[in-house]
Amino acid sequence: MLVDRYGRVIRHLRISVTSKCNLKCIYCHMEGELPSDDEMSVEEIARICKAFYDLGVEKVKITGGEPLLRRDIVDIVQNLPPFREISIVTNGTLLSKLSHDLKEAGLNRVNVSLDTLNETKYKLITGKNMLKNVIEGIYAACDAELFPIKLNMVVLRGINDDEVEDLLEFASKFNKDGINVILQLIEVVNMPDYYVDLSELESKFSKIAEKVIVRGLHSRRQYIFKNKAVEFVRPFHGEFCMHCTRIRVTSDGKIKPCLLRNDNLISLRGLSYDETIEAIKKAVALREPFFKNA
Ligand code: SAM
């Protein structure tokens, strides 16, 4: 098992497979990585993931850039070790074509970024007219039962902060026979002009919730009421870092112990399996909470 100096057990791996994207979101933090053309191969991704798996990591999330732009994304998924959960975070624009093949390859679930249901705002946020493709992608993911699907909504002041109820209503349409689609509300990082503190909204949902699930990762709360489910991701919340059980790998094969730092990366390129294990242990020893007691 991997445990850092602060007693945080590493259970989640977030691995980027490309830094390329077909959208240009105004707020994008690119998972904290610099653009790179030096993408890992299917074999490298498999070796790195196997090492994390053997060290006790339970869940992997594939991200990017836009991971579905990789032509070999189905192979990538197929070659992963049998994690308890394999998921992808995607902008959804290419999901309608790929959902079923990904499910067959072993994908368990998806997060789809959906900040708005309004075409004009979608173009304003992402630079593209692709809302229709995303909605089709969500329907295809439902058809392939990539559940639970989380709809990632980054709440932006003056742009989409009036749409939370609409998005919640949209998500609940898929929840007739249980919670299949969860709305995930995310506080924007590094964009003070758009920042919305979600504490008030979270407190409102906590009062009407019939059930509250506190997740191990970041101590995130999920509130369930009727056929609706909403989860909060608040990186500036004090518990976020102290309960961070996640480690990242960039698309060019470097371990990134913290989303918010770039000065302690460790390369896994060209290493044997044993060397990969040693490098991962070294990276875990470097981990420390970015906000220690915010
Ligand atoms: N292209 C994929 C997508 O759109 O989901 C995967 C990469 S994207 C960087 C992963 C997630 O990070 C998305 O849900 C996105 O909304 C979120 N994200 C990006 N920049 C952010 C920021 N500045 N603050 C909070 N979340 C952000």
Side-chain angles (χ1 to χ4, degrees):
M1 201 158 73
L2 288 166
V3 188
D4 70 16
R5 289 175 293 144
Y6 294 82
R8 299 175 300 175
V9 180
I10 313 307
R11 299 186 197 280
H12 301 87
L13 168 65
R14 189 163 173 119
I15 187 163
S16 172
V17 295
T18 181
S19 64
K20 298 187 185 76
C21 193
N22 55 344
L23 300 182
K24 250 189 170 330
C25 298
I26 49 173
Y27 56 77
C28 187
H29 58 29
M30 293 181 64
E31 301 277 343
E33 68 171 302
L34 300 169
S36 167
D37 283 334
D38 198 11
E39 288 170 0
M40 291 180 284
S41 65
V42 175
E43 293 73 26
E44 282 178 295
I45 294 167
R47 164 181 51 89
I48 290 168
C49 287
K50 175 78 170 60
F52 276 104
Y53 174 78
D54 290 344
L55 287 165
V57 168
E58 296 162 12
K59 297 186 179 185
V60 64
K61 175 159 273 122
I62 299 172
T63 184
E66 173 46 43
L68 302 194
L69 285 179
R70 285 273 306 235
R71 287 175 195 275
D72 51 5
I73 188 66
V74 174
D75 282 349
I76 290 174
V77 172
Q78 202 147 30
N79 282 281
L80 293 175
F83 286 104
R84 185 153 69 76
E85 183 181 284
I86 299 175
S87 64
I88 287 186
V89 53
T90 170
N91 61 32
T93 56
L94 301 166
L95 197 53
S96 67
K97 279 192 234 149
L98 284 160
S99 282
H100 283 274
D101 290 349
L102 287 167
K103 177 77 177 187
E104 231 166 84
L107 188 73
N108 299 112
R109 46 169 307 273
V110 282
N111 283 31
V112 182
S113 295
L114 181 65
D115 299 323
T116 176
L117 293 168
N118 174 301
E119 289 191 18
T120 310
K121 286 188 194 176
Y122 190 86
K123 170 92 197 289
L124 173 80
I125 295 169
T126 68
K128 294 272 176 70
N129 275 317
M130 296 188 89
L131 178 59
K132 197 167 146 282
N133 308 59
V134 181
I135 305 289
E136 280 170 12
I138 294 168
Y139 276 93
C142 280
D143 198 50
E145 299 193 355
L146 289 166
F147 296 145
I149 297 169
K150 290 190 182 172
L151 300 182
N152 283 6
M153 176 187 191
V154 178
V155 183
L156 304 165
R157 181 147 53 95
I159 299 185
N160 66 351
D161 50 351
D162 57 345
E163 276 196 84
V164 172
E165 290 295 334
D166 292 350
L167 262 296
L168 197 53
E169 207 49 59
F170 173 76
S172 71
K173 285 201 304 195
F174 301 94
N175 294 342
K176 297 208 166 70
D177 54 354
I179 299 293
N180 297 322
V181 180
I182 299 164
L183 180 64
Q184 181 154 262
L185 299 176
I186 305 175
E187 280 183 356
V188 72
V189 175
N190 290 344
M191 300 289 285
D193 290 352
Y194 296 125
Y195 179 75
V196 180
D197 179 342
L198 294 177
S199 51
E200 222 171 274
L201 196 57
E202 179 158 12
S203 148
K204 182 184 129 190
F205 285 122
S206 75
K207 289 189 185 112
I208 55 172
E210 289 151 13
K211 188 172 160 196
V212 181
I213 298 170
V214 182
R215 297 190 52 212
L217 175 66
H218 301 145
S219 203
R220 297 177 185 184
R221 265 103 171 140
Q222 202 178 96
Y223 302 94
I224 299 169
F225 48 101
K226 294 194 186 115
N227 58 346
K228 299 187 168 80
V230 60
E231 184 168 322
F232 285 81
V233 182
R234 299 176 52 209
F236 302 107
H237 189 260
E239 288 180 286
F240 189 86
C241 292
M242 291 312 285
H243 292 92
C244 181
T245 54
R246 169 183 281 171
I247 197 153
R248 294 167 176 269
V249 173
T250 62
S251 64
D252 57 356
K254 296 187 183 106
I255 302 188
K256 187 166 163 37
C258 173
L259 167 68
L260 299 170
R261 281 180 65 174
N262 266 320
D263 59 350
N264 58 356
L265 308 191
I266 291 187
S267 179
L268 298 173
R269 267 353 236 292
L271 303 186
S272 66
Y273 172 82
D274 289 347
E275 288 164 343
T276 308
I277 295 271
E278 282 318 305
I280 291 171
K281 289 183 179 165
K282 197 168 144 195
V284 169
L286 289 176
R287 270 169 55 89
E288 60 179 309
F290 191 81
F291 298 112
K292 293 208 173 59
N293 48 13

